[in-house]
Structure formats: C-alpha cells, structure tokens
C-alpha cells in the first residue's frame, strides 16, 4: 500500500469517528430556518444535509 493509499484510508476512519462523536444539531434549529434557498457551508460529514433537504 502506498503512502497516499494509507492516508486516504486514515481519513475515512477519522471522518467516521468524527461523525460518531459529534453531537447532533437540535431539531429546533431546523424549525427556525425559512426561505426558498439555504446554503450549507462546510458540510463536513453531512450531518445537517438531510434535515436541510427536508425543509
């Protein structure tokens, strides 16, 4: 395995660990967002993406 492949694998493990450890957003937050367009900046692991698409 090359260094590049090792790094890619390590990032995937870290992203999954981050996603598991990160607290979720409160549902009230999504209830307060209004408007025809919402821009998610810095989506990271996408934790807010699905709730935003439901608005």
């Amino acid at each position: 395995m090359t260094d590049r492949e090792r790094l890619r694998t390590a990032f995937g493990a870290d992203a999954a660990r981050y996603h598991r450890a990160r607290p979720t957003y409160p549902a009230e937050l999504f209830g307060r967002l209004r408007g025809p367009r919402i821009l998610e900046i810095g989506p990271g692991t996408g934790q807010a993406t699905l709730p935003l698409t439901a608005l």
Side-chain angles (χ1 to χ4, degrees):
M1 183 181 296
T2 67
D3 286 341
R4 186 179 179 118
E5 290 168 332
R6 241 188 317 274
L7 286 172
R8 192 176 323 147
T9 303
F11 176 77
D14 288 344
R17 192 175 306 128
Y18 172 81
H19 184 72
R20 285 192 308 269
R22 185 170 177 5
T24 58
Y25 295 103
E28 299 82 24
L29 170 70
F30 300 105
R32 291 174 178 256
L33 296 174
R34 298 281 183 258
R37 295 180 185 179
I38 297 173
L39 174 64
E40 182 181 7
I41 299 174
T45 61
Q47 201 176 68
T49 303
L50 286 177
L52 287 172
T53 61
L55 295 178

